[in-house]
Amino acid sequence: MLVTNGQTPALKVAVFSAQPYDKSFLNQINRDHFQSVNVEFFYHISPLSKETVPLAAGCNAVCVFVNDCVDESILGLLSEQGTRGVFLRCAGFNNVDLKAAEKLGMFVACVPAYSPEAVAEFAVALMLTLKTHRAYIRVREGNFNLNSLLGFNMHGKTVGIVGVGRIGLAVARILKGFGCHLLAYDPYRVEEFQALGSYTELDDLLQQSDIVTLHCPLIDSTKHLINLDSLKFLKRGAMLINTSRGGIIDTNAVIDALKSGQIGALGLDVYVKEAGLFFIDHSFDIIQDDVFQRLITFPNVLVTGHQAFLTEEALTEIAETTFQNFQNFVDGTECTNALVGGGATTAK
Ligand code: NAD
């Protein structure tokens, strides 16, 4: 579908993995910003891949999300088609080969800082829901028996936060209000956290925490940070929450730890093989991913489909920042959200 703001477009953007809410927020911002940057959108529900890359032909830019493939070969094909800008509607950029983009002289920008509270509140919601989700199902079935529903207080519990950036800090502020003791592991320390809790090494954090929540990016040093070896340090029966990226945990090791009781409860908003599974209605399909299917059979596991970002406030900020990035690209002005080519690249 083609959507313009009524003026001659300076920028033609192929928007991949475009859900109805993406269209609605981007169209609204396009109408609001028509005097500053003229954008023509071509929306595609399908993710960016080798098969769908021709859909971007004739567009100066693509706008992508967490599961679009923006590897070296896709970037090469985009570049051959004359597409020079890659705009992520998200903070994480593990799906983009930045080195390849740089070599090709492309411009890549993301939305680094939209509403960290959206994701932080969702992470805390997973913690609390793991105390209540079975009661919800029982009551719907007319079963008001409380046996086996014994919970625990958040107050006084130790929560280990892995990655204390924007989201990790927002989680820390919320949990401080619950009366939790806070530990953090992050190679880069910030003063703001020192007032809320203490930094420690990962092994200590895993040994001491009743709840561990992951808020680091997926990079080489964090891939499978939670694995067979690190799980041995985890306090027996601890709760693990991952709203960051699926690849930070070794899913098979986590399944073993659930079977042995080493992990007492698991809340996931992300899954390593979520591409092709999440954001799509598969309710009439036979899901072929046996690891995922095993994961959701556990009564103490809660999985949501990468939706922590999905709030009114976050989507507004994502659309606004994406437009700011478009403007910098078109004008050739410095882009503070650029990952590659943020200074002098222009769309012309
Ligand atoms: P951020 O860049 O502000 O913070 C990340 C923190 O992780 C930084 O403090 C960094 O020093 C730390 N870090 C880096 N390497 C580390 C390591 N090896 N061990 C521990 N910590 C390490 O990012 P943010 O805005 O807080 O977002 C964090 C992540 O959340 C993103 O990378 C993204 O993957 C994920 N996210 C998920 C959703 C969702 O909808 N589920 C939405 C937004 C972001």
Side-chain angles (χ1 to χ4, degrees):
M1 183 176 65
L2 168 70
V3 176
T4 73
N5 58 20
Q7 305 226 327
T8 312
L11 192 61
K12 292 185 179 190
V13 183
V15 185
F16 287 91
S17 302
Q19 296 288 343
Y21 46 82
D22 292 309
K23 294 181 192 174
S24 144
F25 280 83
L26 283 173
N27 288 348
Q28 183 56 48
I29 300 285
N30 201 17
R31 284 190 287 273
D32 294 349
H33 288 257
F34 75 94
Q35 280 168 326
S36 48
V37 54
N38 300 316
V39 182
E40 200 173 343
F41 285 123
F42 299 83
Y43 289 113
H44 306 291
I45 184 88
S46 41
L48 179 60
S49 66
K50 245 181 215 151
E51 290 71 38
T52 62
V53 76
L55 294 171
C59 289
N60 330 61
V62 292
C63 184
V64 297
F65 198 49
V66 292
N67 292 327
D68 290 290
C69 176
V70 200
D71 64 12
E72 190 175 7
S73 68
I74 300 281
L75 285 164
L77 293 169
L78 285 171
S79 177
E80 278 170 26
Q81 287 180 184
T83 303
R84 297 180 54 202
V86 176
F87 294 86
L88 289 132
R89 308 191 292 282
C90 52
F93 46 85
N94 49 285
N95 52 335
V96 185
D97 187 332
L98 296 182
K99 278 192 190 138
E102 194 160 18
K103 264 196 230 154
L104 291 163
M106 295 176 89
F107 177 105
V108 183
C110 68
V111 182
Y114 64 88
S115 188
E117 287 76 20
V119 184
E121 288 171 16
F122 197 87
V124 176
L126 287 177
M127 294 171 199
L128 298 178
T129 307
L130 278 162
K131 285 156 55 100
T132 56
H133 71 297
R134 299 189 74 183
Y136 169 77
I137 293 162
R138 273 193 200 185
V139 169
R140 285 175 69 91
E141 290 175 349
N143 177 359
F144 301 92
N145 190 310
L146 299 184
N147 289 329
S148 312
L149 293 182
L150 188 68
F152 62 87
N153 290 358
M154 293 290 284
H155 188 269
K157 289 291 175 299
T158 299
V159 181
I161 303 173
V162 179
V164 188
R166 285 167 281 246
I167 295 170
L169 260 179
V171 168
R173 286 191 291 264
I174 296 169
L175 293 178
K176 196 71 191 165
F178 275 73
C180 296
H181 303 299
L182 301 178
L183 294 176
Y185 168 68
D186 193 317
Y188 308 97
R189 301 186 170 195
V190 288
E191 229 170 73
E192 203 181 333
F193 182 75
Q194 321 261 16
L196 301 167
S198 358
Y199 281 103
T200 182
E201 289 309 310
L202 183 62
D203 295 354
D204 286 340
L205 178 147
L206 295 173
Q207 271 168 345
Q208 293 183 52
S209 301
D210 302 291
I211 300 174
V212 174
T213 183
L214 307 176
H215 301 289
C216 53
L218 175 60
I219 48 178
D220 288 347
S221 61
T222 61
K223 188 176 176 215
H224 287 187
L225 195 70
I226 302 299
N227 57 33
L228 269 181
D229 291 332
S230 57
L231 279 166
K232 286 182 192 142
F233 290 98
L234 189 74
K235 194 183 218 183
R236 191 163 173 81
M239 180 188 284
L240 177 65
I241 302 290
N242 187 10
T243 58
S244 209
R245 285 291 182 268
I248 295 167
I249 66 175
D250 174 347
T251 313
N252 286 312
V254 161
I255 287 174
D256 285 348
L258 281 162
K259 283 160 85 174
S260 71
Q262 184 74 3
I263 294 178
L266 176 70
L268 299 180
D269 186 46
V270 286
Y271 172 60
V272 66
K273 291 192 176 161
E274 66 179 53
L277 185 62
F278 285 11
F279 308 121
I280 299 165
D281 181 357
H282 285 294
S283 52
F284 289 94
D285 302 336
I286 304 295
I287 292 176
Q288 299 296 323
D289 184 334
D290 293 346
V291 175
F292 183 80
Q293 290 301 89
R294 177 67 180 106
L295 205 52
I296 58 172
T297 61
F298 292 97
N300 51 349
V301 171
L302 182 62
V303 183
T304 51
H306 205 142
Q307 69 163 87
F309 71 97
L310 198 69
T311 69
E312 179 89 26
E313 295 80 359
L315 290 188
T316 304
E317 284 178 44
I318 289 171
E320 275 174 356
T321 306
T322 300
F323 257 78
Q324 182 56 55
N325 295 344
F326 288 159
Q327 173 126 44
N328 293 139
F329 179 61
V330 169
D331 297 346
T333 47
E334 194 186 335
C335 180
T336 49
N337 305 317
L339 301 164
V340 174
T345 314
T346 72
K348 292 168 186 118

